[in-house]
Every structure is written in C-alpha cells, then in structure tokens.
Amino acid sequence: MRGAMISIRNLKKTYPNGFTVMENFNLEIEPGSFTVLVGPSGCGKTTLIRLISGLERCTEGSIWIAGKDVTRCEPGDRGVAVVFQNYALYPHMTVEKNISFGLRNFGYKKDEIKKILAEVLDLVGLTEHAKKKPSGLSGGQRQRVALARAISKSPDVFLMDEPLSNLDAPLRAQMRDELARLHRKLGATFVYITHDQAEAMSLGDHIAVMDDGRIMQYGTPEEIYDTPANVFTARFIGDPGMNILPRKDGIYLGFRGQKVGVGRPGGLDCIFIEGTVSSREHLGDAYRYRVTASDGSQFEMRRPERVDVGRRLDMFVRKSDIYAFDESGVRVADVKTLGAAAP
Ligand SMILES: Nc1ncnc2c1ncn2[C@@H]1O[C@H](COP(=O)(O)OP(=O)(O)OP(=O)(O)O)[C@@H](O)[C@H]1O
Ligand SMILES: [Mg+2]
C-alpha cells in the first residue's frame, strides 16, 4: 500500500483579512484511506484541502505527509494532486495536451510521457477521445480528464473538492463507482469533500465530520453513524439526522426516526412518547413524519405505514436505540445507566 499518512498538527489558519478559520486543529488521516470530509458550508473543508496541498500557507502548526514535514514545501513537492469542482482544463489544448502539459514541465522525457498518457487515458476510459478539445466532451468526460491529469503525476495523495457536483445524477453515480475503483487500484490516500450524505457514506472508508473549523469525529461510516461522539455528528449524519430531545436534567436523548415504534408494547425496555403527527412526506418505500410530542418538542419518525396528519399516537423507542449526550453535547455512557425517564 503506497498511500501516505497525512498528519496535521496544531494547525492554525488566519486569512489575510484577519479571519481565523481553524486553530489547534489536529487530524491524522489513515494512509491509503478514502477519507470523506463533510460539514456545513463555511466550516473550513476547502481551506483544509488547500492547506494540505500547499496552495494556502499555514499560519501556525505543521503538516506531515508520509512522515515528512511538508509545511514549507511547494505544492509540486508534496506528492499530492488536487481535483476541483470546475475541472480547470485548458480550452485550446486537446485532452492529451491537457494531461501531458504538467508532465513536460516536470521534466519527463517524451517516451515516458507517451507511456504515462496511454496508461491514464485507459484508466479513465478516454483513449478514443485523446485528440478532442474540452469543448467536444461531456461534463463527465471533462471531469475524467482532470482526474487523469491528477493520476498522471502518480501522487501519494489525491485531494478532491466536490469533483462531481457539476454532474447530473446518473453521471455522478457512474463517476462515484469509477472513483472507488481508482482508489482500489491506485492505493493512494484520497481526501474527498462532498455535500452529499449518500456519497459520503458509500464512498468513504473513513469520514471526517467538521464544524466551525474543528473535527467533530473521524472514523468509519459505521462508527460515525452508529456511535456518534457528539450531538453535532448525530444530527449531521443520516437522512434525516438523529432526533435530539432535551431532558429536564440537562441530558439530551437521541434516537433515529427509523427506531420509533407505534403502540404500547409490554415487556420491552423502552421510553414512551405521546404526540401528534404534524406532517407527512412520502419517500417511496416509507413515510417520513414530523411529530409534535405532548411536551411541545418535535421529532421525525419514519414508518412503512400511512398515518393521517393530525392523528394522536402512542409511540415508543427501545432504550437500546437511545443515545445520551451531556449538556456540552458530548455523548455519555449508555442510556440505561442514566435511568432514562421519558424526555
Ligand atoms: N481567502 C479568504 N479570505 C478570507 N476568508 C476566507 C477566504 N477563503 C475562505 N474564507 C472563509 O473561511 C471559512 C471557511 O471557508 P471554506 O471555503 O474552507 O469553507 P467550506 O467548508 O469549503 O465551505 P463550502 O462547503 O461552502 O465550500 C469561511 O467562513 C470563508 O468565508
Ligand atoms: Mg468548499
């Protein structure tokens, strides 16, 4: 496995206008992982990728790639390649030229370039289109040229900032598969930004959840979904995110809408909620309900059966499906040990 570990230590980034995006920022990205960065708009995802690539300078702290301190290295000396949302192709150059351009500057010889070109064009399925200009290609093909250009530098690290967001849904799905395949084949470390939850969960073997210049959690998709470390991650991950209801003692209880049952079962260790259905949305294979509990709090419920809006319901959630968070939003031990009363 040739993927490099990326280690970010005590990083601080202040832009020239005085705005500090992140401070005391630490993250170790697993070598060879496909790490997806998610978080609300403006939380610092693009800034982080630009810092790793060297397009942006660190204010404080250091960045290490494959055990080497690259904080002061030029972008070209870091072993990274970046792919952005808009492919940044040269319109007057053919596909071939767009890819080989950087290699020539890099000092590769003619026959070496020819060999690399043939390889990467084949890898992204563009061999037949080598002589075309970008204007003669579809959006997906253009994005593949950008990918091919990145691959041609055989980097240890691929940094991708929403590379598929300009493509329509079927093409995105296809490109997603191709990226997964590329990752398996190249074995490099991929860091990938997306706004798309489904994409993050399906593509990433690791997910980094960011908020306001901080890493809220870094782990596998399963860890992030099943054992969220805090309220932010619980709410952010999943479609919809986890319901979070405050309890009188300052504890927050969290549960997923899929885990809400209807009725009053006996013999189950659960909490009971009374409420009224305030809205319904058909999802195809199920319904998503907005429910107002008798204490006025609101939550989402997902059920296979249709229920009328305005109907009063007895609901329950098994204690084993309930998460507890303290006042600062950090997840605390199992809810059973808290003697969970209804919210
Ligand atoms: N060159 C700059 N100068 C000053 N502030 C900047 C600069 N670039 C970004 N910012 C600010 O830094 C913060 C993080 O921006 P960044 O682009 O990293 O966010 P992001 O997570 O990529 O958001 P999005 O999901 O919308 O792309 C934002 O508040 C943004 O306004
Ligand atoms: Mg961004």
Side-chain angles (χ1 to χ4, degrees), residues 69-282:
D69 184 350
V70 298
T71 317
R72 315 250 159 264
C73 294
E74 290 301 317
D77 300 330
R78 294 188 178 205
V80 305
V82 196
V83 181
F84 291 109
Q85 177 176 347
N86 23 6
Y87 341 104
L89 302 180
Y90 297 105
H92 60 285
M93 290 185 192
T94 61
V95 167
E96 228 170 42
K97 284 265 161 55
N98 261 289
I99 299 169
S100 60
F101 179 72
L103 296 176
R104 251 178 296 154
N105 292 349
F106 229 62
Y108 281 99
K109 296 203 182 65
K110 239 185 170 161
D111 47 339
E112 283 173 325
I113 293 179
K114 224 172 151 185
K115 188 163 162 270
I116 296 173
L117 252 180
E119 266 173 33
V120 298
L121 282 171
D122 180 50
L123 208 53
V124 299
L126 284 178
T127 307
E128 297 154 44
H129 303 282
K131 304 286 183 209
K132 287 189 186 166
K133 297 217 172 122
S135 57
L137 300 175
S138 71
Q141 289 167 336
R142 285 180 211 173
Q143 193 54 281
R144 276 186 264 159
V145 178
L147 268 175
R149 192 167 55 187
I151 298 165
S152 71
K153 299 177 190 159
S154 46
D156 299 321
V157 173
F158 279 88
L159 305 169
M160 290 179 260
D161 194 349
E162 308 197 44
L164 308 185
S165 58
N166 284 337
L167 308 179
D168 63 19
L171 203 49
R172 275 180 86 110
Q174 186 199 333
M175 287 294 294
R176 214 184 274 170
D177 290 346
E178 288 177 20
L179 280 176
R181 185 177 56 82
L182 263 180
H183 176 249
R184 282 193 299 272
K185 181 148 186 170
L186 301 174
T189 307
F190 280 40
V191 183
Y192 183 95
I193 298 176
T194 181
H195 269 107
D196 184 330
Q197 279 268 342
E199 195 165 289
M201 295 302 271
S202 67
L203 212 43
D205 53 39
H206 284 70
I207 294 182
V209 183
M210 270 183 86
D211 182 37
D212 196 16
R214 284 171 303 163
I215 293 290
M216 303 308 288
Q217 192 165 356
Y218 180 65
T220 65
E222 291 77 15
E223 283 165 351
I224 299 270
Y225 187 86
D226 295 330
T227 54
N230 43 57
V231 166
F232 182 84
T233 303
R235 276 206 177 117
F236 193 80
I237 297 293
D239 180 29
M242 195 182 278
N243 293 302
I244 305 285
L245 300 183
R247 224 167 54 167
K248 286 182 191 72
D249 58 0
I251 294 284
Y252 292 88
L253 297 184
F255 55 89
R256 298 218 173 257
Q258 292 87 336
K259 300 293 186 184
V260 180
V262 173
R264 277 281 175 269
L268 273 184
D269 199 13
C270 49
I271 63 163
F272 297 106
I273 310 171
E274 265 179 52
T276 307
V277 174
S278 42
S279 72
R280 181 188 62 226
E281 192 187 334
H282 192 202

Side-chain angles (χ1 to χ4, degrees), residues 15-22 39-48 50 56 85 161-162 193 195 210:
Y15 277 113
N17 68 355
F19 181 74
T20 297
V21 185
M22 52 191 72
S41 181
C43 72
K45 304 180 295 295
T46 297
T47 301
L48 183 61
R50 291 178 61 85
E56 210 57 72
Q85 177 176 347
D161 194 349
E162 308 197 44
I193 298 176
H195 269 107
M210 270 183 86

